[in-house]
Amino acid sequence: MMKRKISTIMAMLMLLSMTACGRTPEVDTADDTSSQTETAAGMPQQNNGQDGQTGDQNNVNPDNGADNNTADQPTIDPEPVDSVKSAEDAVRFISNNLYSLCSEVLPMAVETRALDMSDADAVQYNTGLADTAGITDIVLSESAVGSFAYSLVYVRTDGTNTDAVHQSLKDSIDPRKWVCVEAEAVNSIRLDDDICVVMGSAEQVDTISASLRQAAEGVFEQVGEPMAVL
């Protein structure tokens, strides 16, 4: 009897020991696996992502972007011109010769460009001219941001009917073309066979007209006096 009791007790102890050993590894293994997952799958992935982005940003994207932008943008000659024989010369004359003398009265951002002479709607909207006979180029300079009542129109003519073109400009150019804003004053100035019309606030028009005559010295043989259109 005693041996049988001892055997039964030993069997129960062994069963309890085996059961305890089976449960403990399951709990410990689950905890360890969770910890390893956070460390191995979380942190290394984050570091690898950061390292990958840093490498791409520093070594690839900025350089390629800068190179592409530089290649796409035309080189602009910052030097003033000493004669105006083309639309490009007129753009440079306005941007380099003139605006360097009166930057304080200009809009924050100004875009100066040649109009497409085949676009009759754009020509008429910006100049009022329905007939471009005798005109070789038209250059427009206005604010590139928002609606500001400032515009400078430079018209190059071939000299055959400059007086008629000048009169048409004075009669037709619209100081209210922006609809929501309008120019306070308009001046026109003859530069040899070319015509420049400036419209904006009274201060802008006065300052730019005076600067235009100064910028034109040595570039044109005949520089007219500003004529008030409005």
Side-chain angles (χ1 to χ4, degrees):
M1 290 293 293
M2 181 62 69
K3 289 182 179 181
R4 187 175 295 176
K5 287 183 179 179
I6 292 173
S7 297
T8 301
I9 292 171
M10 291 295 293
M12 292 178 63
L13 288 173
M14 289 178 65
L15 179 62
L16 289 173
S17 176
M18 290 174 63
T19 303
C21 291
R23 287 179 182 174
T24 302
E26 288 178 0
V27 174
D28 292 343
T29 301
D31 291 343
D32 290 345
T33 302
S34 174
S35 176
Q36 290 173 4
T37 300
E38 290 177 2
T39 303
M43 295 301 293
Q45 285 180 358
Q46 183 177 359
N47 289 341
N48 288 342
Q50 289 177 346
D51 292 343
Q53 290 175 1
T54 302
D56 290 343
Q57 290 174 356
N58 289 341
N59 298 328
V60 179
N61 291 341
D63 291 344
N64 287 346
D67 292 342
N68 290 339
N69 290 339
T70 303
D72 292 341
Q73 293 176 356
T75 302
I76 299 175
D77 190 344
E79 294 299 320
V81 298
D82 55 12
S83 64
V84 176
K85 304 297 184 183
S86 65
E88 182 181 0
D89 289 343
V91 170
R92 290 177 57 200
F93 172 75
I94 295 166
S95 301
N96 303 339
N97 297 54
L98 172 59
Y99 283 167
S100 63
L101 301 176
C102 54
S103 59
E104 71 280 1
V105 298
L106 296 174
M108 179 176 61
V110 178
E111 180 184 22
T112 301
R113 59 187 177 87
L115 291 182
D116 180 358
M117 295 291 294
S118 66
D119 188 343
D121 290 337
V123 170
Q124 186 161 19
Y125 173 74
N126 288 291
T127 67
L129 297 173
D131 183 5
T132 57
I135 297 175
T136 58
D137 300 292
I138 298 175
V139 171
L140 177 70
S141 185
E142 294 187 340
S143 172
V145 181
S147 294
F148 292 90
Y150 169 74
S151 181
L152 185 150
V153 177
Y154 188 108
V155 178
R156 293 190 63 242
T157 80
D158 59 13
T160 58
N161 59 344
T162 306
D163 290 340
V165 172
H166 192 185
Q167 189 61 51
S168 294
L169 268 173
K170 291 189 293 182
D171 293 341
S172 305
I173 199 162
D174 185 6
R176 301 176 183 83
K177 72 171 188 171
W178 299 276
V179 181
C180 54
V181 293
E182 62 181 271
E184 182 182 15
V186 182
N187 272 3
S188 70
I189 299 175
R190 283 280 298 271
L191 305 170
D192 290 341
D193 290 327
D194 298 345
I195 306 155
C196 192
V197 176
V198 184
M199 56 185 179
S201 70
E203 179 186 9
Q204 282 178 321
V205 171
D206 288 345
T207 302
I208 293 172
S209 295
S211 298
L212 180 59
R213 299 190 77 246
Q214 180 181 346
E217 293 178 3
V219 179
F220 301 92
E221 293 181 3
Q222 297 180 351
V223 179
E225 291 287 340
M227 298 176 61
V229 178
L230 176 65

